[in-house]
Amino acid sequence: MSPIRSILAVVLLAAFVVPPGPAVAAAEVTPGPVCDHQPLANTTAPAGAVAIDAAVPGDLYHKSQESPPGTTFWLPAGTHLLATDPFGQVIPKDGDVYLGAPGAVLDGQGINRAAFTQQAKDVVIRGLTIQNFVAPQDQGVVNHDSGEHWIIENTTVQNNKGAGIMAGARQEVRHSCLRNNGQYGMNAYRSDSTITALIIEGNEISGNNTDDWETRSPGCGCSGGVKFWVVDKADVRGNWIHHNHGAGLWADTDNNDFLIENNLIEDNDAEALFYEISYNLVFRDNVLRRNSLVAGKRRADRGDNFPVASVYLSESGGEPRVPARTHLIDIYDNTFEDNWSGITAWENADRFCNSPANTSINTCTKLVADRTQCSAPGIASPPLYDDCRWKTQLVEVHDNTFRFDPAVAGCTNGVCGKMALLSNWGTYPSWSPYQGKIVQDAITRDQGNYWFSNSYYGPWKFVAGDTSRILTADEWQSIPWYQDNCATFDDVMPRC
């Protein structure tokens, strides 16, 4: 072993001592069917509850208006309707509880835009089916205005336009079915960026983006099973996330401190997880199957050789200066089976605060308060030189199992089955201090990105630096890349 490899081995062995993951108090939840498998609960009205008459359109609205905060409302089996105008809706008060008996449906008739609106706190919704509402693009049906600490349990939100659910701070969504909504199953967005401490646990999230928003509005970044925007701390565990027409989970723009564990994520048209210009993530104990097959084939058919992945890290990394339960992007103990490709860690050299290439307009990193500071001449020197970039850094990918059969993935021409760590050649704007191969060198050699101790089965290829450099496993492990120390390939003894 060369002196350089010996030094590297010591560094990588040290990496085995991984900082502990976030403490999790909740019991492990096993992902599986939730849609059409809700518990038979709330069969009779609880003592003191206000009963809603399904035969009276608007009865739920009127009784919500007439009752004091903290009232429990019980909806018996049947189809409950609101007023026959777009703004027929329910306006909860703080602490209101809405319980649906088995077969209780709140139906928007293809007329009402939203079901539950405004910003009451501590609202609980259990046991309802909420369907056929027509929220506009980027708006939602349940918790339309992102009220704080809503609890949505054992509820089905389906066949709506827009997002099935909007998120507010400390929102909990458990054992619910979010399926076949026009844009998102859930849209975690507030204009004031105050969403924190989300819990998304034990749900089935499937078939969303039925309106195919990425085709209707190319480049909008406005689709998926769940979309997160500037969320600080989210726990996503024990969910079955499948057959969404886009990404299963998409965290876009200054998200931080995510724990994504014990999920089954499969058959999504695009990525299982797209983590974009965001920070500090633990992704562990998940099973990912057959993701990105549609998006990968579509891109390959255009002659584009970018390594479309099942987990895509785009300008995202660990950042110790941003408080979180980890200072890494730590991806471990996951199983990947027959996805279009594995993991792509990418950093666009031209995308930084105040650059025309930053598609998240008017945003900046969490390290710079005023994006206009990121301009010449100041950006050419520390601290702005470093802090104006969302860096793909401190990424550790270890102890995962990657299985790949090109025939199952529907890819026999060698354009799939890739693992990638890369950037582009920096070109613009003219005042950019990141032109040329500066970022390519940084992401591959200087930013603490390491694969190690993974197990591979199948004809995997590796991409380093740029899309044109395709490596064998031996090259991936050798100078100058030094990746996947102690990995096994088709059960061949690891090289450590």
Side-chain angles (χ1 to χ4, degrees), residues 30-38 175-177 202-204 240 242 264:
T30 302
V34 174
C35 299
D36 304 318
H37 291 78
Q38 297 289 5
H175 202 266
S176 290
C177 168
N203 305 285
E204 183 176 352
W240 185 21
H242 64 99
L264 174 57

Side-chain angles (χ1 to χ4, degrees), residues 237-356:
R237 67 168 69 92
N239 303 283
W240 185 21
I241 303 166
H242 64 99
H243 292 95
N244 293 286
H245 304 292
L249 300 171
W250 189 345
D252 184 354
T253 308
D254 283 342
N255 298 280
N256 174 53
D257 195 7
F258 273 46
L259 169 62
I260 302 174
E261 65 176 355
N262 193 38
N263 300 282
L264 174 57
I265 311 177
E266 58 186 358
D267 297 302
N268 297 286
D269 287 359
E271 299 86 354
L273 171 65
F274 187 175
Y275 208 67
E276 182 177 8
I277 59 172
S278 293
Y279 302 89
N280 299 328
L281 159 72
V282 173
F283 187 84
R284 67 187 181 197
D285 297 313
N286 301 285
V287 175
L288 289 72
R289 299 174 178 149
R290 301 178 302 277
N291 296 288
S292 289
L293 303 187
V294 173
K297 185 176 188 305
R298 184 180 296 140
R299 198 154 188 166
D301 287 346
R302 298 199 305 262
D304 188 334
N305 66 347
F306 190 84
V308 174
S310 54
V311 172
Y312 181 24
L313 309 176
S314 179
E315 299 85 40
S316 291
E319 176 49 76
R321 292 175 292 172
V322 177
R325 294 166 289 181
T326 180
H327 68 281
L328 304 170
I329 286 188
D330 201 4
I331 301 174
Y332 65 95
D333 288 347
N334 303 285
T335 299
F336 294 73
E337 297 179 353
D338 298 322
N339 302 283
W340 185 262
S341 282
I343 297 172
T344 290
W346 156 263
E347 186 174 332
N348 183 345
D350 297 328
R351 187 180 193 183
F352 52 90
C353 300
N354 219 28
S355 167

Side-chain angles (χ1 to χ4, degrees), residues 449-465:
N449 300 316
Y450 294 112
W451 275 243
F452 59 93
S453 298
N454 297 295
S455 297
Y456 295 88
Y457 299 88
W460 286 93
K461 297 180 289 295
F462 302 87
V463 182

Side-chain angles (χ1 to χ4, degrees), residues 421-474:
L421 177 64
L422 75 166
S423 179
N424 57 320
W425 188 268
T427 58
Y428 74 101
S430 60
W431 47 268
S432 168
Y434 315 118
Q435 296 191 23
K437 60 181 299 193
I438 288 172
V439 176
Q440 284 183 356
D441 288 344
I443 191 174
T444 54
R445 303 178 189 180
D446 302 328
Q447 292 182 181
N449 300 316
Y450 294 112
W451 275 243
F452 59 93
S453 298
N454 297 295
S455 297
Y456 295 88
Y457 299 88
W460 286 93
K461 297 180 289 295
F462 302 87
V463 182
D466 64 66
T467 57
S468 67
R469 186 178 290 109
I470 309 298
L471 308 176
T472 65
D474 186 67

